[in-house]
Amino acid sequence: MAKRSSLFIRVVEGKHLPAKDITGSSDPYCIVKIDNEAIIRTATVWKTLSPFWGEEYEVHLPPTFHSVSFYVMDEDALSRDDVIGKVCVTRDLLTAHPKGYNGWLNLTEIDPDEEVQGEIHLQIEILGSDAARKLRCSVFEARDLARKDRNGASDPFVRVRYNSKTQESSVVKKSCYPRWNETFEFDLDKSATEKLCIEVWDWDLVSRNDFLGKVVFNIQGSQTVQQEEGWFRLRPDKSKPRVDEGNLGSLQLQVRLRDETVLPGSYYQPLVQLLCQEVKAGPKQDGKLRLITLIDETTTAECRQEVAINLVKLFLGQGLAKEFLDLLFKLELDKTGEPNTLFRSNSLASKSMESFLKVTGMQYLHSVLGPTVNRVFDEKKYIELDPSKVEIKEVGCSGLHRIQTESEVIQQSTQHLQSYLTDLLITIAKSVRTCPATIRATFRQLFKRVEEHFPENKHKNVKFVAVTSFLCLRFFSPAIMSPKLFHLREKHADSRTSRTLLLLAKAIQTVGNMDAAASRAKEGWMAPLQPTIQQSISQMKEFITKLIDIEEKEGPHTLLHLEGPLFIHRGKGKGPLLSSSFKKLHFSLTSEALSFAKTPSSKKSSFITLANIRAAEKVEEKSFGSSHVMQIIYADEPGQLEMAYLQCKCVNELNQWLSALRKVCVNNAMLGSYHPGVFKGDKWSCCHQKDKTGLGCDKTRHGVTLQEWNDPLDPDLEAQLIFRHLFGVKELMRLFQVLQDLEDAHHTAIFSSGTLADRDRNCLLELQT
C-alpha cells in the first residue's frame, strides 16, 4: 500500500506589479518552490505589470510536504534578477479546500528571517535526580540549510538558549550540511517558564549574522518523556512585526491537493478485468448496460479530462488502447445524427482521443511542427490579414522612407503565411512513416467506423474530417498557438509572433474542417489564403489516405523518451571538478538505458543501464560554480557506486530530467541518502566528511516527480483513480443500473484479505452492490 500526494498547480496571471526597470515596467516570471526546493520556473513575460502565464503543472511528491511558495521575479539581463514578492500556500490551506484553491493572493515582501529551510538532528535529555536535574541538548548535524553567502554556502553555528542562559557551538565554515556533535547542559529549573530554543545562525565576519532557523521545545512536556531524538524542521522567526512595504501586486493561482492511497494491483484486478472484457467484446449490442457506457454517462465537464487520461493509460498498459477508443467511437456515432457535429463536443470520446494523441504522439508532434514553429520565432515577421488590425509603418532605407499601404501589408503577410503553411503541409505529407503505428491503427479504425455510419456520397468528406478533427483541431492547432505548453519552445511568444502563430493555427483549422467556403463566410479577411488552403485540403486528404493504408504491426509502446543536449562530467575522471570540465553530448533516455552521442544523428553508446541507477539528485551550486547540475549515482560492474554529473541549462530542464530518471527507476533499490556536493581532495564539499563511501548527508528525493504526457504507465495508480471516480458517482450510476457484471468478478479474492484498508474495502463493496 503506497501513499503519495499530487499537486495540481496553475499559475494564471499577475496584476498591479511594481515597476522594477527604468522603463517603468518589469519582466516578470515565477519560481515555484515546494518546501524551499525550486521545482518550476514559468516563462518571462516581457515589459508588463500585468503578466499572463496560464501555465499548468502537476507535481507528485511524498505526503509529508508543508507548503508551496510562488516567488515573482523581475528578469534582468545584466544584473541579478529582482525579487518582487512571494505568496505561500500551506498544506493546511489546501486540505481545507478539497476541491482546490482558486483566487487572487496579495504578494508579500521577502523577509530574510522567514526564508529558512532544512532540518537539524537533536537529542533532548532530562538527567539526574529530583534534587539536581540537568537538561542536556545534543546537537549532531543539520542538512539543507539556506545559502546566505556569495560562495553558495553558509558558515553555520548553533545558539542554545534556556532559562536566560545562552551557549554556542563552533562555526562550521562553508557548509550547508554541518556536523557539530556537541553537547550543551543546563540546570533544570522546574519553575522556569522559558522554553528551550535552538537557533541556527550563519556567522559573518563583517556584517551581522544571518538567521537560518530555530526549533523550540516545551521542557515541561519533555520531562515526562525523559529523552527525545530525531530530525526537526527549522522554523522561521515570526516574533518580529511585519513592515508593510506598500502594494506589491497580486497573483492569481489555482492549486489543488490530492492524496492517494494506492493498494497492491491484485485488489484492482476484478475492475481491470471487467473493463478489458467489455473492450475486447467490442461495440456489439447485447442488452446489457456496460461499465464503459456508465463512465461515459456519468463524467462531468470538470472531471472528464482526468478520467479520459486515466482510461487511456490503463488500456495502453493492457495493449487495448485502439479497442477502447473504437468502443467510444461507436458510442459517439450512435448518439450523432448530424455529421457536422461529430466529435466537436468535449465528450469522453473526444477527450480520450485527445489524451491518446498527447500520450503517444508528442515526439511525432515535435518532428512535424518543430521546424515551422522555430522558423516563425526566428524570423519575427509582422503578419496581419485582418484590415481592422493592420498597423501602417514606414519602409525603405535611410532617406527613402515611405508609408506602407494596407494592401501591401496584407499582400506581404499572405506570402509569408502561404510559405509557412506550404512548408508545414510538406512536412506533414512526409511524416506518414514517422507517425507511431498505434496512432495510425487508431485513425484507420476511426476512418472505417465513420465511413460505415455515413455511407452516403454526400458525406464522403466526413470520414476525413473525423480524422482531422483530432489531428488538426485538437493536436496540431493548439500546439501551434501555445508552443511552450507543448514543449516546442522554452518561452512564450511575444505579441507579434503570437499573432503569426494564431493566423497559422487558424489556417490549419480551416484545412482540418475541409470547408474553405464556410471559413470564408465566417472570416472574410482570410480570403487571400484560400487558394493555398484549398490546395492544402487536397494534400491533407492524400496524407490521410496513405496514413490509414499502412498495415504495420503495432509494436510495444514506449511512453518514456527524453532527449537533448547536456554537459557531462564523469565523477571518476581525473582533474579538477570545474564547470569548464563538462563535455557537451546529446543524451537519450529510453526504458532500458541512458545513452549519449556527439550529435543527435550520431550512433549512440550505452552510458548507464537503468537497473544500475541508485539515485538522481541535484548538486549544490557551489560544487561546480554553476547552477542546474544533477548527479546520477549508479553501480558499476564490480558493484561500486560511481557518480556522473550532468549540467542542464535551466531549472525546468533539470527537474524534467530528474523526474524522468526517477520514474524509470521506480522499481530500483534506490539510496536513502546522498551527498549533494562533490568529493574534492580528501573530503566531501557539502559536509566535509573524509569517508568517500560513507552515508550521505542529505536525504534523497526520488518521490518528487513532475507529471508529463510521456510518463511511464502506472497500472495500479490508474486503476485507483478510475475506481475513485466510480465510487464518487455511485449514486448517479444507480439511476442507470446496478453494476451487474461486478457481482461475480472475483469477489472473494478482493475482500478476503485482512490487509485491505477498511474504507477502501467498504467502498468497493458499495460499488459492487
Side-chain angles (χ1 to χ4, degrees):
M1 186 183 299
K3 293 185 178 181
R4 79 168 191 180
S5 296
S6 296
L7 266 180
F8 170 81
I9 298 170
R10 185 165 192 256
V11 184
V12 186
E13 60 181 321
K15 65 180 180 182
H16 306 317
L17 302 182
K20 291 290 185 178
D21 301 335
I22 58 174
T23 59
S25 187
S26 291
D27 304 312
Y29 66 92
C30 283
I31 292 287
V32 183
K33 293 185 178 182
I34 296 177
D35 288 346
N36 296 298
E37 181 178 2
I39 300 294
I40 298 160
R41 184 202 192 276
T42 70
T44 300
V45 183
W46 304 101
K47 297 180 176 60
T48 180
L49 301 181
S50 298
F52 178 84
W53 291 286
E55 297 187 22
E56 296 181 358
Y57 304 90
E58 187 170 346
V59 185
H60 304 307
L61 68 169
T64 54
F65 84 97
H66 300 91
S67 65
V68 52
S69 300
F70 301 82
Y71 293 77
V72 181
M73 312 289 290
D74 168 55
E75 182 170 337
D76 287 320
L78 302 178
S79 60
R80 173 175 283 187
D81 294 352
D82 299 313
V83 180
I84 295 176
K86 69 174 283 191
V87 165
C88 183
V89 180
T90 65
R91 183 185 175 91
D92 292 339
L93 176 64
L94 295 175
T95 304
H97 293 80
K99 292 187 177 181
Y101 180 85
N102 181 6
W104 289 90
L105 292 170
N106 291 328
L107 293 170
T108 60
E109 65 165 326
I110 306 296
D111 184 347
D113 287 346
E114 293 187 8
E115 296 299 299
V116 303
Q117 65 185 65
E119 299 172 308
I120 187 168
H121 186 190
L122 303 169
Q123 184 184 68
I124 310 300
E125 298 175 278
I126 307 296
L127 306 173
S129 61
D130 291 341
R133 305 191 77 185
K134 294 282 187 179
L135 171 62
R136 175 182 292 174
C137 175
S138 299
V139 181
F140 301 114
E141 58 187 318
R143 61 190 179 196
D144 196 26
L145 298 179
R147 285 82 176 153
K148 294 293 185 178
D149 298 336
R150 290 185 176 181
N151 60 17
S154 291
D155 305 316
F157 69 94
V158 174
R159 182 177 294 160
V160 185
R161 292 189 288 106
Y162 174 69
N163 199 19
S164 301
K165 292 182 175 61
T166 302
Q167 299 183 49
E168 293 184 354
S169 73
S170 58
V171 176
V172 180
K173 294 292 188 69
K174 299 179 182 178
S175 177
C176 293
Y177 299 84
R179 295 195 170 192
W180 293 284
N181 292 320
E182 298 184 29
T183 300
F184 306 92
E185 287 191 358
F186 300 88
D187 292 327
L188 186 63
D189 186 351
K190 291 184 178 180
S191 62
T193 58
E194 186 178 351
K195 298 178 180 179
L196 174 66
C197 181
I198 298 100
E199 298 175 340
V200 185
W201 292 81
D202 166 49
W203 178 84
D204 286 319
L205 178 63
V206 180
S207 60
R208 74 178 184 88
N209 297 334
D210 299 307
F211 180 73
L212 296 177
K214 68 179 182 180
V215 179
V216 178
F217 291 92
N218 186 347
I219 298 303
Q220 300 297 327
S222 299
Q223 292 188 48
T224 58
V225 180
Q226 297 297 318
Q227 179 176 310
E228 187 174 0
E229 181 182 351
W231 285 94
F232 299 91
R233 180 172 169 241
L234 291 170
R235 305 282 181 168
D237 183 8
K238 296 191 178 285
S239 59
K240 297 191 309 180
R242 175 173 289 278
V243 179
D244 186 5
E245 292 290 330
N247 183 20
L248 298 176
S250 53
L251 194 62
Q252 187 183 8
L253 302 169
Q254 294 176 8
V255 188
R256 185 178 73 250
L257 171 66
R258 184 181 67 203
D259 292 319
E260 289 293 344
T261 299
V262 183
L263 304 170
S266 59
Y267 298 129
Y268 302 109
Q269 274 304 106
L271 176 61
V272 174
Q273 287 174 0
L274 178 60
L275 289 168
C276 292
Q277 287 168 9
E278 287 195 359
V279 167
K280 289 177 181 177
K284 63 182 181 180
Q285 297 292 332
D286 54 9
K288 289 186 177 181
L289 187 59
R290 297 179 176 277
L291 185 54
I292 296 293
T293 305
L294 286 169
I295 294 174
D296 186 21
E297 295 289 348
T298 56
T299 52
T300 60
E302 62 182 13
C303 72
R304 193 169 291 130
Q305 179 70 67
E306 184 179 2
V307 172
I309 184 64
N310 293 331
L311 286 168
V312 165
K313 286 195 168 186
L314 185 141
F315 285 112
L316 273 171
Q318 299 293 325
L320 294 171
K322 181 183 73 174
E323 290 78 6
F324 163 65
L325 292 168
D326 183 40
L327 180 57
L328 292 183
F329 295 155
K330 185 65 170 63
L331 292 174
E332 183 86 356
L333 284 164
D334 289 343
K335 295 185 289 186
T336 304
E338 174 55 50
N340 291 333
T341 63
L342 183 62
F343 301 121
R344 294 308 172 99
S345 66
N346 287 324
S347 62
L348 184 63
S350 297
K351 284 296 182 183
S352 296
M353 187 62 184
E354 182 182 325
S355 300
F356 170 74
L357 288 174
K358 290 177 179 177
V359 169
T360 60
M362 274 299 189
Q363 191 176 355
Y364 171 68
L365 177 90
H366 281 222
S367 66
V368 172
L369 299 186
T372 302
V373 170
N374 289 335
R375 182 185 164 198
V376 172
F377 270 82
D378 294 341
E379 293 181 356
K380 297 183 182 297
K381 304 230 180 244
Y382 173 68
I383 296 177
E384 185 54 74
L385 297 182
D386 187 349
S388 65
K389 296 181 178 179
V390 169
E391 298 177 5
I392 305 300
K393 59 180 181 177
E394 291 185 348
V395 295
C397 57
S398 178
L400 297 174
H401 287 266
R402 67 179 182 84
I403 302 297
Q404 193 176 28
T405 65
E406 178 183 291
S407 60
E408 288 176 330
V409 172
I410 293 176
Q411 182 182 7
Q412 192 177 66
S413 298
T414 302
Q415 292 172 352
H416 292 319
L417 276 175
Q418 286 173 337
S419 176
Y420 293 144
L421 186 57
T422 301
D423 282 356
L424 183 54
L425 262 295
I426 290 174
T427 306
I428 292 173
K430 292 179 179 179
S431 71
V432 172
R433 292 285 175 183
T434 59
C435 183
T438 184
I439 292 179
R440 296 199 301 268
T442 304
F443 277 142
R444 183 164 57 245
Q445 196 65 21
L446 172 63
F447 193 90
K448 176 185 173 183
R449 287 287 178 202
V450 176
E451 189 175 38
E452 291 172 350
H453 195 80
F454 296 104
E456 300 89 348
N457 189 54
K458 64 178 180 179
H459 297 319
K460 62 182 179 180
N461 273 348
V462 176
K463 53 184 178 290
F464 291 99
V465 176
V467 175
T468 56
S469 65
F470 292 115
L471 188 64
C472 294
L473 275 65
R474 292 181 180 266
F475 198 38
F476 288 163
S477 186
I480 293 171
M481 284 192 289
S482 303
K484 184 183 185 302
L485 302 185
F486 286 76
H487 303 301
L488 284 164
R489 299 288 295 190
E490 291 181 17
K491 296 186 176 182
H492 290 301
D494 57 26
S495 57
R496 173 179 290 190
T497 305
S498 292
R499 182 61 180 170
T500 302
L501 293 172
L502 176 62
L503 292 172
L504 181 59
K506 281 180 175 290
I508 288 295
Q509 286 177 346
T510 305
V511 172
N513 287 325
M514 295 193 174
D515 191 349
S519 172
R520 187 165 58 249
K522 184 179 179 182
E523 293 175 325
W525 46 267
M526 291 284 286
L529 270 184
Q530 291 306 315
T532 306
I533 288 175
Q534 199 63 53
Q535 181 182 355
S536 299
I537 291 173
S538 300
Q539 289 177 290
M540 184 62 71
K541 284 184 177 180
E542 184 179 349
F543 165 72
I544 292 171
T545 302
K546 292 179 180 178
L547 191 73
I548 64 171
D549 193 43
I550 293 179
E551 292 287 348
E552 283 189 17
K553 185 179 179 181
E554 295 178 55
H557 179 64
T558 303
L559 277 176
L560 188 78
H561 185 87
L562 184 62
E563 61 179 358
L566 296 173
F567 292 85
I568 178 174
H569 180 99
R570 294 286 192 119
K572 59 183 178 182
K574 297 181 179 179
L577 294 175
L578 304 173
S579 58
S580 58
S581 61
F582 282 84
K583 181 180 180 181
K584 186 176 182 180
L585 294 171
H586 189 87
F587 282 81
S588 178
L589 178 65
T590 67
S591 54
E592 288 80 33
L594 178 66
S595 57
F596 67 89
K598 288 186 177 180
T599 64
S601 57
S602 302
K603 183 179 179 181
K604 290 180 170 56
S605 302
S606 179
F607 172 37
I608 299 176
T609 303
L610 295 189
N612 294 338
I613 293 179
R614 297 293 174 262
E617 300 292 336
K618 295 180 181 178
V619 177
E620 279 190 303
E621 182 176 345
K622 71 168 187 174
S623 299
F624 293 100
S626 62
S627 305
H628 317 315
V629 177
M630 67 176 176
Q631 61 176 305
I632 301 174
I633 305 174
Y634 63 98
D636 61 10
E637 290 299 329
Q640 297 295 318
L641 292 182
E642 298 289 350
M643 274 74 68
Y645 301 97
L646 304 181
Q647 182 177 346
C648 305
K649 60 178 175 286
C650 63
V651 66
N652 285 351
E653 185 181 65
L654 172 66
N655 284 308
Q656 186 181 23
W657 276 95
L658 283 173
S659 183
L661 284 163
R662 289 166 179 172
K663 289 169 190 171
V664 293
C665 300
V666 67
N667 294 320
N668 290 10
M670 304 297 276
L671 297 175
S673 64
Y674 81 110
H675 288 286
V678 294
F679 198 80
K680 289 184 178 181
D682 63 345
K683 63 183 179 182
W684 288 100
S685 63
C686 43
C687 60
H688 303 169
Q689 284 189 74
K690 294 191 175 183
D691 183 2
K692 187 176 182 180
T693 60
L695 288 175
C697 56
D698 198 8
K699 57 186 177 182
T700 53
R701 295 167 175 82
H702 48 80
V704 180
T705 59
L706 289 171
Q707 177 80 28
E708 298 285 355
W709 283 107
N710 59 351
D711 277 351
L713 299 174
D714 188 343
D716 293 348
L717 175 62
E718 279 121 32
Q720 162 63 22
L721 295 175
I722 294 169
F723 159 69
R724 183 168 57 83
H725 167 74
L726 290 171
F727 181 70
V729 296
K730 68 181 189 301
E731 295 298 333
L732 183 58
M733 287 193 295
R734 284 193 178 106
L735 298 175
F736 291 94
Q737 207 173 34
V738 177
L739 298 182
Q740 301 172 6
D741 294 343
L742 271 175
E743 292 179 356
D744 54 358
H746 300 74
H747 180 279
T748 306
I750 295 185
F751 301 107
S752 61
S753 172
T755 61
L756 182 60
D758 289 340
R759 177 182 62 82
D760 291 332
R761 185 163 56 248
N762 292 337
C763 290
L764 283 168
L765 267 171
E766 286 193 52
L767 181 62
Q768 295 190 38
T769 58

